[in-house]
Amino acid sequence: MQNDLRALIAQSRRVVFFGGAGVSTESGIPDFRGENGLYRQKFAYPPEVILSHSFFMRHTEAFFDFYRQRMLCPGAQPSRAHRILADMERAGKLTGIVTQNIDGLHQAAGSQNVLELHGSVKRNYCMQCRRFYPETAVADSTGVPRCACGGIIKPDVVLYEESLDEGVMTRALQLIADSDLLIVGGTSLTVYPAAGFITYRGGKLAVINKTPTAADAQADLCSHGSVGDALAAAWE
C-alpha cells in the first residue's frame, strides 16, 4: 500500500495534503471522536456545547477554563507526519496543506503554505480593538483574558455556530482543485463544510486514516493506519 502511495506521489506534480486530528494525535494532542477523545470524556457540558459561539458569549469564564485545560498544548512538538510534509514542500512536491487542526504544528515543522480552516490557537485578538495577541496571552491568564483596552481576548479559532473564513475557504478550494493528487490524512471526514472540500479535487485521491471514512470507496488508494507511518514509507 505504501509503495502504491510512493508511486502516486512520484507521478504527481501538485500534491496537496488535507489533514485532521489524526495528524496531531501522533504529537500527543487528543482528538475529539477517538477512543480517548474529548467527546468520550465527562464534563459539566458537552465539549461541542462549550466550544460553541453561544456558550462563549454566555459563559465566557467557563469557556476559557475548558479551553486552557483541554485545547492548549504548548509543549506539543511536530510529529513525523508534520516533518515529512514540510520536507515534501521544500522538495517542490507538495504545493500546500489544508488543515482542520488549530495547533500550528505544521508551521512549527517548517511548512509554509498552510491554510487553517478552523483557525489557530497561536493567534488571539481583542474583540473590541482587534489587537492581536500570542497564545501566551490566553495560556498565562486567569479568568477572562482582557486587552489593555478592556476588551475580551478571543482565540482566533472557528467555534461551533461560526462560519469559516471566506478567504481561507476560497484559497483552500482552489488549492484542492489545482491538485493532481490529494492526500487526505487523519480525518474521519465527518465535520462539514470542511469534509466536503475533497469533492473539488482535480486529480487522484489517497486516504490515510485509522478508521474507515466516507471517501474510502472513491479513493484511488486507501490505507487504514498511522498517517506518519504511511508518509514515511512512501517518502523517506
Side-chain angles (χ1 to χ4, degrees):
M1 188 67 69
Q2 286 81 5
N3 288 335
D4 293 339
L5 180 58
R6 180 182 290 273
L8 282 178
I9 292 173
Q11 296 162 9
S12 304
R13 293 185 301 166
R14 298 181 304 279
V15 180
V16 170
F17 183 82
F18 180 94
V23 180
S24 292
T25 54
E26 297 177 18
S27 292
I29 296 178
D31 62 5
F32 282 82
R33 295 172 178 80
E35 183 177 345
N36 298 310
L38 288 178
Y39 285 178
R40 295 180 180 268
Q41 300 176 31
K42 299 295 183 182
F43 303 100
Y45 300 89
E48 60 267 40
V49 172
I50 300 174
L51 296 173
S52 68
H53 178 81
S54 56
F55 189 92
F56 172 82
M57 298 302 294
R58 294 172 189 164
H59 309 283
T60 311
E61 187 166 351
F63 168 89
F64 277 107
D65 287 344
F66 177 89
Y67 183 83
R68 290 188 193 94
Q69 293 178 35
R70 302 295 179 175
M71 304 305 293
L72 298 182
C73 301
Q77 297 297 315
S79 67
R80 179 165 55 171
H82 293 112
R83 295 192 297 270
I84 291 171
L85 291 167
D87 187 54
M88 289 174 65
E89 184 185 48
R90 285 190 293 269
K93 179 62 70 172
L94 188 80
T95 57
I97 294 169
V98 179
T99 181
Q100 299 174 81
N101 296 336
I102 60 174
D103 49 51
L105 290 178
H106 283 296
Q107 293 92 329
S111 292
Q112 299 295 314
N113 190 22
V114 182
L115 297 174
E116 298 167 312
L117 293 178
H118 297 150
S120 173
V121 299
K122 303 300 181 183
R123 299 186 303 271
N124 303 271
Y125 65 92
C126 172
M127 297 178 70
Q128 188 166 302
C129 72
R130 309 302 290 186
R131 176 181 174 183
F132 270 82
Y133 286 86
E135 181 181 9
T136 52
V138 174
D140 297 342
S141 66
T142 57
V144 178
R146 296 278 180 176
C147 174
C149 77
I152 296 172
I153 298 174
K154 181 183 183 295
D156 192 14
V157 299
V158 179
L159 301 176
Y160 289 103
E161 304 167 352
E162 294 180 346
S163 300
L164 301 185
D165 181 275
E166 288 190 11
V168 173
M169 195 162 47
T170 298
R171 294 197 300 275
L173 288 171
Q174 190 61 60
L175 188 67
I176 291 170
D178 290 341
S179 69
D180 54 11
L181 172 61
L182 178 64
I183 302 175
V184 174
T187 173
S188 57
L189 296 173
T190 57
V191 177
Y192 284 82
F197 282 27
I198 70 166
T199 61
Y200 293 86
R201 69 184 184 280
K204 294 184 176 180
L205 174 66
V207 177
I208 309 165
N209 197 52
K210 289 186 176 180
T211 58
T213 78
D216 289 1
Q218 58 185 289
D220 297 281
L221 179 149
C222 184
S223 175
H224 291 153
S226 159
V227 178
D229 289 347
L231 290 177
W235 180 255
E236 292 181 340

